[in-house]
Amino acid sequence: MGEFSSDSEDFATLIDKFQFVKVLDSNPQTKVISLLGTIEGKDAIITAEKTHFVFDETVHRRGSDEDSKPIFYHCEGEYSCVNGIEELKQITNNDIYYWGLSVLRQNIEYNPTAKLNLIWPATPVHVKKYEQQNFHLVKETPEAYKNIVEPYIKEMHNKGRLAWVNNILYGDAEADRVVYKDYKEDNKKDSFIILPDMKWDGNNLESLYLVAITYRNDISSLRDLKMSDRDWLKNIYNKIRTIVPACYNYAVHPDELRVFVHYQPSYYHFHIHIVNIKHPGLGNGISTGKAILLDEVIDMLQYLGPEGYMNKTITYVIGENHDLWKRGLDKEVSKELNKEGVPKLPNIVEGF
Ligand code: M7G
């Protein structure tokens, strides 16, 4: 194993002890691979994501149109343009088209190869979440929520799945990375914190991914949002769109932020995803059926009545590995399809 900087010692030691078991999933589009293994006999998941190119756009233009000297450009960055190419091998060419493979210079601070995430010890819920699986579209009625989802959320709360959230809100976890903290002891309702999401490499603004976590613990998910929460949510949304661009020197503007919530989320404590609009590579994370724009939520709260989302049927995508699937959402799918007169299994249609 190669070199590690001193503050990554724990991480490095753990990665070093990783005993590979199997590949859970790999995605050539997002360039992510998830591996299951063990560390000291307990399940561990390593997720590796190839990082995007870091590009320094400092280009010197020599010569000018007026003095009729030839104009040429010099790209400064050691890793930018073609400066980072260390090895190059042509595959083939055809007419004006050439293609090949290259090895690019890498640097752990500036231009790392991949971002690694480790979950250890990983619970069965984590393993199932990262494993390749089939997905289904479910219509969750208010009744299905009460009967199937709410009891599951209660169990999740009792299992301490929110330790990382509490470490951020009340401890000093990730404290040096916090982008914004608005915390008032006497006004927890309006308090919230913004920090880099675990999914972001922290380097590349084009893949900027932050998470805003509220101090309210009476909202587990979108479902708990009521009409009376509309102004509260609007206020947070406006603060996000004011603070985040300012924190990143306006390299990203308010209308270039995709601000959304997930349903179902993995963690039932209300939080908001903030992602650079340029970033498409998040698997299902920003797809319809999982991500709901905060703007839409704020707008919907005007029309849903006082009880808000508690009265709404919410349609979303769920994986077969999710506990909720086997706990009853699978039956909900059949029930809803039946109600709407859509056959679950195809009848053989002549000539099709
Ligand atoms: P979610 O919608 O509940 O789950 O969002 P999902 O997107 O994983 O399905 C939770 C968000 O919190 C995700 O974007 C995670 O990447 C992020 N996150 C999870 N953990 C355990 C941490 C953490 O420890 N620190 C930070 N900064 N972000 C985390």
Side-chain angles (χ1 to χ4, degrees), residues 192-245:
F192 72 103
I193 198 162
I194 305 176
L195 76 163
D197 191 283
M198 194 169 85
K199 290 185 187 123
W200 189 35
D201 65 14
N203 270 346
N204 200 314
L205 266 183
E206 292 197 356
S207 53
L208 176 81
Y209 200 133
L210 305 170
V211 60
I213 308 175
T214 64
Y215 276 81
R216 281 181 75 165
N217 47 22
D218 58 330
I219 301 182
S220 296
S221 75
L222 175 76
R223 266 279 177 218
D224 291 321
L225 290 172
K226 302 193 170 35
M227 193 186 231
S228 54
D229 296 316
R230 198 167 169 262
D231 288 340
W232 168 75
L233 214 52
K234 243 171 140 173
N235 181 40
I236 293 186
Y237 186 36
N238 285 346
K239 278 194 180 155
I240 288 173
R241 290 182 300 166
T242 310
I243 292 156
V244 173

Side-chain angles (χ1 to χ4, degrees), residues 129 164 168 174 195-199 209 211 262 265-267 271 273 290:
K129 174 178 166 185
W164 69 274
I168 289 169
E174 306 181 49
L195 76 163
D197 191 283
M198 194 169 85
K199 290 185 187 123
Y209 200 133
V211 60
H262 277 162
S266 297
Y267 303 97
H271 58 274
H273 300 250
K290 171 93 177 166

Side-chain angles (χ1 to χ4, degrees), residues 156-201:
M156 285 288 129
H157 281 316
N158 295 336
K159 281 190 179 155
R161 288 256 296 152
L162 293 176
W164 69 274
V165 172
N166 291 322
N167 292 343
I168 289 169
L169 295 179
Y170 304 106
D172 57 5
E174 306 181 49
D176 52 334
R177 291 162 56 77
V178 167
V179 170
Y180 178 79
K181 182 170 181 171
D182 183 351
Y183 179 68
K184 290 178 201 79
E185 185 75 49
D186 57 342
N187 183 9
K188 278 209 187 146
K189 187 181 170 218
D190 287 321
S191 301
F192 72 103
I193 198 162
I194 305 176
L195 76 163
D197 191 283
M198 194 169 85
K199 290 185 187 123
W200 189 35
D201 65 14

Side-chain angles (χ1 to χ4, degrees), residues 22-286:
K22 65 172 181 176
V23 174
L24 288 173
D25 199 6
S26 89
N27 183 331
Q29 198 224 333
T30 55
K31 312 267 189 297
V32 174
I33 187 163
S34 297
L35 310 175
L36 176 67
T38 58
I39 296 174
E40 295 171 2
K42 292 178 203 150
D43 281 347
I45 300 168
I46 291 182
T47 305
E49 178 191 359
K50 285 257 176 82
T51 48
H52 185 48
F53 299 94
V54 175
F55 197 82
D56 173 3
E57 282 179 288
T58 321
V59 172
H60 287 286
R61 188 174 183 269
R62 308 251 168 87
S64 72
D65 298 330
E66 291 88 56
D67 59 17
S68 70
K69 278 188 197 143
I71 297 166
F72 63 95
Y73 298 91
H74 174 67
C75 176
E76 289 278 281
E78 205 184 332
Y79 303 94
S80 300
C81 314
V82 290
N83 299 348
I85 298 175
E86 281 187 342
E87 275 183 64
L88 195 61
K89 184 178 149 201
Q90 179 170 322
I91 295 174
T92 190
N93 70 300
N94 182 348
D95 186 35
I96 56 170
Y97 306 100
Y98 302 79
W99 59 100
L101 299 169
S102 69
V103 175
L104 302 178
R105 193 178 311 140
Q106 309 271 270
N107 172 288
I108 192 72
E109 294 299 334
Y110 186 71
N111 185 21
T113 313
K115 179 172 151 289
L116 294 194
N117 280 19
L118 168 69
I119 304 179
W120 182 76
T123 64
V125 175
H126 287 120
V127 177
K128 283 190 262 173
K129 174 178 166 185
Y130 285 89
E131 200 162 21
Q132 200 167 33
Q133 57 190 304
N134 292 328
F135 290 89
H136 299 270
L137 198 71
V138 295
K139 273 188 167 196
E140 184 190 287
T141 58
E143 299 71 46
Y145 175 75
K146 284 277 170 219
N147 297 333
I148 304 166
V149 183
E150 201 174 35
Y152 170 78
I153 295 177
K154 280 200 183 119
E155 267 176 45
M156 285 288 129
H157 281 316
N158 295 336
K159 281 190 179 155
R161 288 256 296 152
L162 293 176
W164 69 274
V165 172
N166 291 322
N167 292 343
I168 289 169
L169 295 179
Y170 304 106
D172 57 5
E174 306 181 49
D176 52 334
R177 291 162 56 77
V178 167
V179 170
Y180 178 79
K181 182 170 181 171
D182 183 351
Y183 179 68
K184 290 178 201 79
E185 185 75 49
D186 57 342
N187 183 9
K188 278 209 187 146
K189 187 181 170 218
D190 287 321
S191 301
F192 72 103
I193 198 162
I194 305 176
L195 76 163
D197 191 283
M198 194 169 85
K199 290 185 187 123
W200 189 35
D201 65 14
N203 270 346
N204 200 314
L205 266 183
E206 292 197 356
S207 53
L208 176 81
Y209 200 133
L210 305 170
V211 60
I213 308 175
T214 64
Y215 276 81
R216 281 181 75 165
N217 47 22
D218 58 330
I219 301 182
S220 296
S221 75
L222 175 76
R223 266 279 177 218
D224 291 321
L225 290 172
K226 302 193 170 35
M227 193 186 231
S228 54
D229 296 316
R230 198 167 169 262
D231 288 340
W232 168 75
L233 214 52
K234 243 171 140 173
N235 181 40
I236 293 186
Y237 186 36
N238 285 346
K239 278 194 180 155
I240 288 173
R241 290 182 300 166
T242 310
I243 292 156
V244 173
C247 286
Y248 293 94
N249 233 349
Y250 296 94
V252 57
H253 297 173
D255 57 335
E256 293 168 342
L257 294 172
R258 211 187 287 262
V259 183
F260 57 92
V261 295
H262 277 162
Y263 197 75
Q264 295 284 340
S266 297
Y267 303 97
Y268 293 98
H269 177 107
F270 193 67
H271 58 274
I272 298 163
H273 300 250
I274 306 158
V275 184
N276 190 332
I277 214 155
K278 280 187 181 164
H279 188 16
L282 296 161
N284 292 329
I286 58 170

